Amino acid sequence: QEDRRNVALASAGATAAGGASPERLIDGKTDAYATTAWQSGQQFLVTLPKPLQVDMVRLLLWQTADRFSRYKVEVSSDGTTFFTVADRTQGYHCGWQTLAFPKQEVKAVRLTGTFDSSSDGRFNVAELEVLTPPTPIPLALGNALYELTATEKTYLPLCQAGNQPPPPQLRRMTPGSRL
């Protein structure tokens, strides 16, 4: 179980702008939608109270099989200069979308709907989450000794100190051999 934290909540000091009812993006609920007029280029902007290290954005689009959307997500460390982290301007997207990217400092997230298959001209989003990376778990290797060669022969870990032979369940790997 990862311990990611959604930092794009109004209760945590985040703000949302753009379109109709943008506060719905950051209320922590999934029962009502914020909307933009995608044909006129409207965008949502979620601003965090301060720049934070994040590596994932999740958003909840319309959740029916007969309707799909296309969109682009950009992030900014200063609220001015944005970089694209997800380009979903092709394909058929609906329901929960999970967008992972390299960990970086983020102050603002811009969501641009580029298409919605409904005839009403609206791009609908129920929730937008900005997630912190999981807390790293320290790995204690103890007295294990590892050897890896990238030549003809590759060996699995020698699990005992003093270069003793590996236990029977670990064996030498040669090119073409199988576990």
Side-chain angles (χ1 to χ4, degrees):
Q1 181 75 5
E2 291 185 334
D3 63 345
R4 292 179 179 276
R5 190 170 48 100
N6 178 13
V7 293
L9 291 167
S11 61
T15 60
S21 305
E23 68 280 357
R24 292 177 176 169
L25 294 173
I26 58 173
D27 64 2
K29 300 175 185 174
T30 59
D31 58 353
Y33 290 87
T35 63
T36 60
W38 67 267
Q39 294 169 329
S40 65
Q42 284 186 341
Q43 302 171 321
F44 291 118
L45 180 67
V46 172
T47 305
L48 306 178
K50 63 181 181 180
L52 295 167
Q53 291 288 316
V54 301
D55 69 349
M56 186 177 288
V57 170
R58 284 180 20 109
L59 53 122
L60 179 56
L61 303 175
W62 200 266
Q63 297 190 79
T64 59
D66 62 337
R67 187 171 181 170
F68 66 91
S69 300
R70 295 179 180 145
Y71 62 92
K72 179 171 67 169
V73 174
E74 301 163 284
V75 297
S76 171
S77 62
D78 61 7
T80 304
T81 305
F82 286 83
F83 300 95
T84 301
V85 292
D87 184 340
R88 302 292 187 270
T89 56
Q90 302 294 316
Y92 307 93
H93 308 283
C94 62
W96 277 106
Q97 306 288 301
T98 300
L99 314 166
F101 48 89
K103 180 174 69 172
Q104 57 194 286
E105 193 167 89
V106 171
K107 169 72 174 162
V109 177
R110 185 164 60 193
L111 171 61
T112 305
T114 60
F115 180 79
D116 188 280
S117 65
S118 73
S119 60
D120 66 4
R122 307 305 259 165
F123 175 72
N124 300 278
V125 184
E127 194 70 12
L128 188 146
E129 299 176 346
V130 179
L131 302 170
T132 60
T135 302
I137 299 171
L139 180 62
L141 298 176
N143 291 328
L145 175 65
Y146 295 88
E147 177 182 339
L148 179 64
T149 59
T151 60
E152 260 185 56
K153 299 176 184 174
T154 301
Y155 295 88
L156 291 176
L158 295 176
C159 296
Q160 300 173 4
N163 265 346
Q164 296 177 11
Q169 69 270 23
L170 297 179
R171 61 184 173 89
R172 189 172 110 202
M173 300 296 295
T174 57
S177 65
R178 295 179 177 209
L179 289 175

